[in-house]
Each structure stands twice: as C-alpha cells, then as structure tokens.
Amino acid sequence: MPADARDAFDRPLRDLRVSVTDRCNFRCVYCMPKEVFGPAFQFLDREELLTYEEIERLARLFVARGVEKIRITGGEPLVRRGLPGLVRRLAAVEGLRDLTLTTNGALLPAQAAPLREAGLRRVTVSLDSLDDAVFRAMNDVDAGVEVVLAGIEAALAAGLGPVKVNAVVRRGLNDHTIVDLARHFHGSGVIVRFIEYMDVGTTNGWALDHVTPAAEIVARIDAVLPLEPADPNYRGEVARRYRYRDGGGEIGVISSITEPFCGDCTRARLSPEGSLYTCLFGANGFDLRALLRAGADDAELSEAIARVWRVREDRYSELRTEATSGLARVEMSHIGG
Ligand code: SAM
Ligand code: SF4
Ligand code: SF4
C-alpha cells in the first residue's frame, strides 16, 4: 500500500480535478474569449485526450495516494461523448468518498438522469446572473438564463442535489446582479457560491480593478438578506460559508484574490491530455500520459505522482501581484478551475 503523498509544505493530496475536454459550447468572456477561442483555435485531437480507461487507472492510483474527492470538469465536460461511462468507472473506485462535476448546465436536461444513474452524486452548475441580457453577454453564445435554470431543475429532479451554483463576479459586468441571484435561491436549498474574478490563463485581460472583493459581495447581500459566518465543513474547503440569519440556507464566497487559501490547498489537476498540474496557475504539467503510453506499470505511475506532489511548493495566490498575472500559465478552460 503506497503512502499518502505530502508536499513540501506538508499539505496532503486530497482532491483531484479531472478535465475531460478543452472544448466548450459557451464562450464566457472571462474564460474563453472569442477573439482567442474562435474558429481557427486548435483544440486537442481526440487521440490526444486520455481515454476513460486511462483516467480510471490514474484515478485509482491517485486515490491510493490520498485523494478522497474527484471533480470532473473541462472545458465543458458534458460535451465529451459518453461521459456517464467515465462516471460509472470512477464511481466504482474503492476509497473514493465524493464524486462530483462542474458544468455550465446547458446539456443537463438530457444528461442529468444518465449521470445520476451512472453514480454521480452531486453537480455544481455555473450561472453568473439571472439578468438575461447580462448572462447572454457573459456566455457570449446567446444562451439564455432559462437554459441553465432548466439544467438545475433537471439535476434536482434526477437526485443530483444539493446543487451548488457558481457565479463569477466581474466588476462592471454582473456585480450589480449578485443580490438578485442570492434572493432567487434563498430558501431553495441551492447554495450559490460567488467567485472573485481570477487572473487564470493569459487571455481574459484580467486586471485587479475588475475584481469585486468577497467582503463587498457579502456586505451587499447582508444588507438585504442578513448573514452570519458559518464554520467550514472540512479543512481546506475553498468557499467561505455564510448562513442566512432567517434560516433560508447559505451562500459561499471564494476569495482567491483578496484572501488566498494556498496554505490549505490539497488539490491536484489532471488536464485532458494527461498532464498533472499542482496549481491552477502552473505553466507546465507533468506528462503522465507519456508514462502511461510508454507502458509504465502501476508502481511506476504511482511513484511519479508522489514525486511530483512531494516537491510541490505552489502558493501562487499568496504571491500574486499585478506583475505575476502576465506570466505564462495554463488556461482555465483547459484545466477546469
Ligand atoms: N464549463 C464548466 C463550467 O463553466 O462550470 C466547467 C469548467 S469552468 C472552467 C469551471 C469554473 O471556473 C466555472 O464555475 C467558471 O465560472 C469558473 N471560472 C472560469 N474562469 C474564471 C475566472 N477567470 N475567474 C474565476 N472563475 C472562473
Ligand atoms: Fe466554458 Fe465553463 Fe469556461 Fe464558460 S467557464 S467558457 S462554460 S469552460
Ligand atoms: Fe492552490 Fe495554487 Fe490556488 Fe494556491 S494558487 S490555492 S496553491 S491552486
């Protein structure tokens, strides 16, 4: 039995985010701006992607090294063909405690039931605003709010709850609509998590003054729907929780810019072509696919994973300055957030 992996700062390896595609049916302006991800953009070829068999094999090895939770992401994971087949394989991995998925929700009406049936337990659905014009401008493919709300309904009907909603807040685009979003889901059991706009990738034109700080988000909601802080559910939880004082549920804020949480970061990320990243802001990953396809056995692969984790010193968000946001790094739509 291999030992749990610990990094250079003694952080254990607990979470794995698996990006299954670099493609997406949306073009969110903060993630895949059309000027860059247009018709000429070279996405990965099919044979470059890890197969579901390869992902399952790696997942087992990650779990043996301490991973308890896997999140499937993308690009948009639901555009990859046969995704329930991957879910079925991952749900059967012994020792895995939690299996979830992040999606823009547009394809959930067709896929929620097969995903649940395959063993998915929960989903997070991204929805940045309930104002239709604002939302259409943000996803930039003219997808209306009703498309995503239908996806959330389908997830709940299929038993994929409690559903979480991710909303990226970009000042000047949707920050004036956050209270409406909170109010809409207040009392519904759906937990909205507001995410500070991050300098992920190098194509979204990020600047510090585009960020609405988490404290401001909380204050604006608290003024209308009073909130109180709630304890984290577990060590390393990314979202800071706030409970409605009237018992109407809770919200979360993810303050990676104003209050970084690298000290508790237990997340590894696997790219669609099988590179292992130990930070969302990494420039290069470790090529596990090369090892896999060269015929490495499980022990060699497992040792490679542990070796990469052992030397990990990442704490990008704690070191962030305006200058670091220009450094080379992987795109969010590739690695999946
Ligand atoms: N396509 C799926 C979706 O949108 O849910 C999964 C992949 S997406 C990259 C994962 C999450 O990252 C989404 O909730 C998205 O809103 C968030 N995200 C993308 N770009 C971001 C940015 N620049 N800052 C903060 N969050 C971002
Ligand atoms: Fe696609 Fe998700 Fe990025 Fe939007 S945030 S472009 S839905 S990958
Ligand atoms: Fe983890 Fe890197 Fe984000 Fe820090 S910046 S929380 S190390 S992914």
Side-chain angles (χ1 to χ4, degrees):
M1 185 78 179
D4 275 14
R6 298 226 158 223
D7 73 6
F9 300 137
D10 204 32
R11 296 170 296 189
L13 170 58
R14 289 284 179 259
D15 310 85
L16 180 66
R17 299 196 174 180
V18 181
S19 173
V20 294
T21 179
D22 58 342
R23 294 170 196 257
C24 186
N25 47 355
F26 282 15
R27 285 291 177 276
C28 303
V29 292
Y30 52 78
C31 179
M32 293 182 82
K34 270 183 180 163
E35 314 79 73
V36 179
F37 296 90
F41 187 81
Q42 202 55 51
F43 289 102
L44 293 169
D45 288 332
R46 204 178 156 71
E47 60 277 11
E48 293 180 85
L49 301 178
L50 287 186
T51 64
Y52 290 163
E53 289 86 341
E54 288 172 327
I55 294 174
E56 178 195 355
R57 182 166 171 216
L58 290 176
R60 286 186 192 282
L61 299 173
F62 274 97
V63 169
R65 287 289 183 180
V67 163
E68 296 175 344
K69 174 174 173 182
I70 293 183
R71 177 176 295 279
I72 300 171
T73 176
E76 172 47 44
L78 301 193
V79 304
R80 176 125 179 218
R81 216 170 304 146
L83 193 68
L86 175 65
V87 168
R88 195 175 305 284
R89 287 169 178 275
L90 295 180
V93 171
E94 211 169 308
L96 187 65
R97 297 224 183 116
D98 198 9
L99 177 62
T100 175
L101 175 147
T102 304
T103 171
N104 62 32
L107 299 174
L108 270 178
Q111 295 196 34
L115 287 168
R116 177 75 188 96
E117 194 270 320
L120 192 68
R121 300 183 198 172
R122 297 183 293 111
V123 285
T124 298
V125 181
S126 300
L127 174 59
D128 300 323
S129 181
L130 286 170
D131 180 312
D132 206 53
V134 169
F135 184 59
R136 285 175 196 264
M138 285 181 88
N139 65 56
D140 215 12
V141 294
D142 222 22
V145 167
E146 78 287 351
V147 170
V148 183
L149 291 179
I152 294 172
E153 284 309 315
L156 291 169
L160 287 171
V163 168
K164 287 183 184 153
V165 164
N166 272 0
V168 175
V169 183
R170 189 187 177 292
R171 195 185 287 287
L173 269 185
N174 66 333
D175 60 315
H176 60 295
T177 68
I178 54 184
V179 173
D180 287 343
L181 195 57
R183 198 185 283 118
H184 179 85
F185 289 108
H186 173 263
S188 71
V190 171
I191 301 170
V192 186
R193 303 187 316 165
F194 296 92
I195 306 174
E196 288 180 346
Y197 175 47
M198 288 190 282
D199 52 337
V200 283
T202 50
T203 59
N204 66 8
W206 184 89
L208 196 50
D209 60 9
H210 296 154
V211 179
T212 305
E216 183 181 328
I217 295 170
V218 172
R220 285 208 215 170
I221 297 170
D222 178 58
V224 183
L225 294 162
L227 291 164
E228 63 190 5
D231 289 334
N233 287 314
Y234 53 90
R235 183 182 165 211
E237 189 172 27
V238 175
R240 199 168 295 206
R241 301 171 60 212
Y242 290 85
R243 197 184 296 124
Y244 290 117
R245 288 181 190 269
D246 67 2
E250 65 182 71
I251 62 161
V253 286
I254 301 179
S255 54
S256 18
I257 305 292
T258 58
E259 290 166 282
F261 36 77
C262 301
D264 271 342
C265 180
T266 55
R267 289 175 291 286
R269 296 175 160 88
L270 189 60
S271 74
E273 76 281 32
S275 283
L276 171 59
Y277 288 79
T278 55
C279 179
L280 183 51
F281 298 89
N284 298 299
F286 177 85
D287 190 355
L288 282 172
R289 188 189 63 187
L291 274 181
L292 261 173
R293 295 192 180 169
D297 64 19
D298 281 357
E300 288 168 298
L301 284 167
S302 175
E303 185 45 39
I305 292 167
R307 213 176 323 117
V308 170
W309 192 260
R310 234 177 264 136
V311 296
R312 173 183 191 245
E313 291 184 331
D314 301 299
R315 52 188 195 101
Y316 175 84
S317 287
E318 290 180 349
L319 306 174
R320 173 186 290 111
T321 62
E322 288 266 2
T324 57
S325 72
L327 298 176
R329 64 176 70 122
V330 64
E331 288 298 317
M332 185 75 146
S333 58
H334 197 92
I335 200 72

